[in-house]
Amino acid sequence: MLRINRETDYGIVILSAMARSPGERFNPSRLAAAHGLPQPMASKVMKQLVRAGLLCSYRGAKGGYGLVRDPGEITVAEIIEALEGPIAFTECVEDGTGSCNHVDGCTAGAIWSRVSSVVQRALDGVSLAEMARPAEFPVTVYPVQVQWATDGGCAGPVSADPAKLKLIDR
Amino acid sequence: MLRINRETDYGIVILSAMARSPGERFNPSRLAAAHGLPQPMASKVMKQLVRAGLLCSYRGAKGGYGLVRDPGEITVAEIIEALEGPIAFTECVEDGTGSCNHVDGCTAGAIWSRVSSVVQRALDGVSLAEMARPAEFPVTVYPVQVQWATDGGCAGPVSADPAKLKLIDR
DNA sequence: CCCAATCCGTACCCGATTGGTACACATTGC
DNA sequence: GCAATGTGTACCAATCGGGTACGGATTGGG
């Protein structure tokens, strides 16, 4: 085991697809159809990704979802955390106390948090861009050709840090 | 999420306790009582650990379970694999095909297997001895004071590799 | 030789989580 | 105003994790 769950898996697939045509708007139904995954699941996942600040949503006709940041700036760690909460092997690690509330004489806490942080770093080191086109990596810079949605189109309820938005103009 | 399950957690606790008095025999009931975990669970876990070759069992009166190898030679990775199967974030990684059977255009396989192997290595780097006494590490050699059960006491159905048994004599 | 202590295997149960669905509502473009 | 879209909530079914029960096999000791 030690699996990521299906929702997260779908999330990666969806975001990868979006990363391959960044700047475009996508709607869940078409994405689901294109990649053979259940349509309501796609909706569910994308909604969650909006809440996490990785996607922004445009409502109404001709609406859809768009990436908030450069795929090269989004890490797999972020995606996993967005879809299944903090990366922690055990509860002790997650609640941060480091000591075990349940079992007498459990000395594992220190080690688990060490292991968790290794995993964290591993996942931090992989970008969405890499996920989307593994064959093209390693590559210094991901070749983005569009302007990012810093123009207010996504300024509303989305809590993305504007400082992190990268504007690429050519 | 991304949790190890409770059974594995119990397994670590039990093995850690055993590692603190290596060479002794332990029975599930007493271990369970000592560490506040459900007795039948302890049995279940220890049985699985026998099947995985990490423990050996002695039947009958005065029976019990014993460690097969030096706690310093047992890795956390082994324990996790014994109790919850191969370490793989996704099915694709586990079945080894590297490509996704379920979703069209899923390019993540290569990355997942890379991430999984990082985790694998992290877990390979932690020994049971370290788990049992984190405060005493880093230390060059774990101070084992007993002779290991290479004397046939555990020779029967246990499939431990004798080449890996370390004999310490003082 | 029998009994008690212990391991072993199997089968079962329950509740939580996961994966998936449905539907009414809000928002926007045309 | 209508159609196309996202939003929120609620729900359902299946699976799985955690936990239990029990009868049998094996061994040591009296």
Side-chain angles (χ1 to χ4, degrees):
Chain A
M1 291 295 171
L2 214 65
R3 294 274 165 76
I4 58 170
N5 64 28
R6 201 111 107 203
E7 222 165 282
T8 308
D9 213 343
Y10 290 165
I12 301 275
V13 171
I14 290 170
L15 288 171
S16 297
M18 295 179 73
R20 268 176 248 124
S21 328
E24 258 181 46
R25 288 188 188 178
F26 294 85
N27 70 55
S29 348
R30 267 197 292 272
L31 272 175
H35 297 97
L37 32 94
Q39 185 269 321
M41 275 288 105
S43 280
K44 208 173 176 177
V45 168
M46 295 175 89
K47 255 182 291 184
Q48 261 183 276
L49 291 171
V50 170
R51 252 172 271 152
L54 293 176
L55 294 183
C56 56
S57 68
Y58 308 87
R59 307 185 68 157
K62 299 265 173 187
Y65 292 93
L67 286 170
V68 171
R69 277 183 277 155
D70 184 315
E73 304 286 316
I74 299 175
T75 71
V76 171
E78 279 181 286
I79 301 172
I80 293 182
E81 279 174 15
L83 291 172
E84 48 187 318
I87 294 168
F89 273 39
T90 57
E91 281 182 55
C92 344
V93 174
E94 187 175 347
D95 62 26
T97 62
S99 68
C100 183
N101 311 322
H102 308 300
V103 177
D104 293 352
C106 171
T107 53
I111 302 290
W112 283 137
S113 68
R114 213 163 90 194
V115 170
S116 292
S117 77
V118 169
V119 174
Q120 174 83 45
R121 247 173 296 145
L123 294 171
D124 271 334
V126 183
S127 73
L128 174 58
E130 224 162 329
M131 231 22 184
R133 306 179 181 269
E136 295 181 13
F137 279 81
V139 147
T140 23
V141 180
Y142 182 73
V144 178
Q145 286 129 11
V146 289
Q147 205 176 0
W148 290 96
T150 51
D151 49 39
C154 202
V158 177
S159 67
D161 179 4
K164 283 194 166 183
L165 287 173
K166 195 174 154 193
L167 198 62
I168 294 177
D169 202 5
R170 50 160 105 178
Chain B
M1 290 293 173
L2 215 62
R3 293 273 165 78
I4 58 170
N5 64 27
R6 201 114 105 201
E7 217 165 290
T8 307
D9 213 344
Y10 291 166
I12 301 275
V13 171
I14 289 171
L15 288 171
S16 298
M18 295 179 74
R20 267 176 247 122
S21 329
E24 258 181 47
R25 288 188 187 177
F26 295 85
N27 69 56
S29 347
R30 265 197 293 274
L31 272 175
H35 297 96
L37 33 94
Q39 186 269 321
M41 274 290 105
S43 280
K44 206 172 178 178
V45 168
M46 294 175 89
K47 254 181 294 184
Q48 262 183 278
L49 291 172
V50 170
R51 250 172 275 152
L54 293 175
L55 294 183
C56 56
S57 69
Y58 307 88
R59 308 184 69 158
K62 299 264 172 187
Y65 292 93
L67 285 172
V68 172
R69 277 183 277 155
D70 183 315
E73 304 286 316
I74 300 174
T75 70
V76 171
E78 281 182 283
I79 302 173
I80 292 183
E81 279 174 15
L83 292 172
E84 48 186 317
I87 294 168
F89 272 39
T90 57
E91 280 181 57
C92 344
V93 174
E94 189 175 346
D95 62 25
T97 62
S99 69
C100 183
N101 310 322
H102 308 299
V103 177
D104 293 352
C106 171
T107 54
I111 303 291
W112 283 137
S113 68
R114 212 162 91 193
V115 170
S116 291
S117 77
V118 169
V119 174
Q120 174 83 45
R121 247 173 295 143
L123 294 170
D124 270 334
V126 183
S127 73
L128 174 57
E130 225 163 329
M131 232 21 185
R133 305 178 181 270
E136 294 180 13
F137 279 79
V139 147
T140 21
V141 180
Y142 183 72
V144 178
Q145 285 127 15
V146 289
Q147 205 177 356
W148 290 98
T150 50
D151 49 39
C154 203
V158 178
S159 66
D161 180 3
K164 282 195 165 183
L165 287 172
K166 195 175 154 194
L167 197 62
I168 294 177
D169 201 5
R170 50 157 105 177

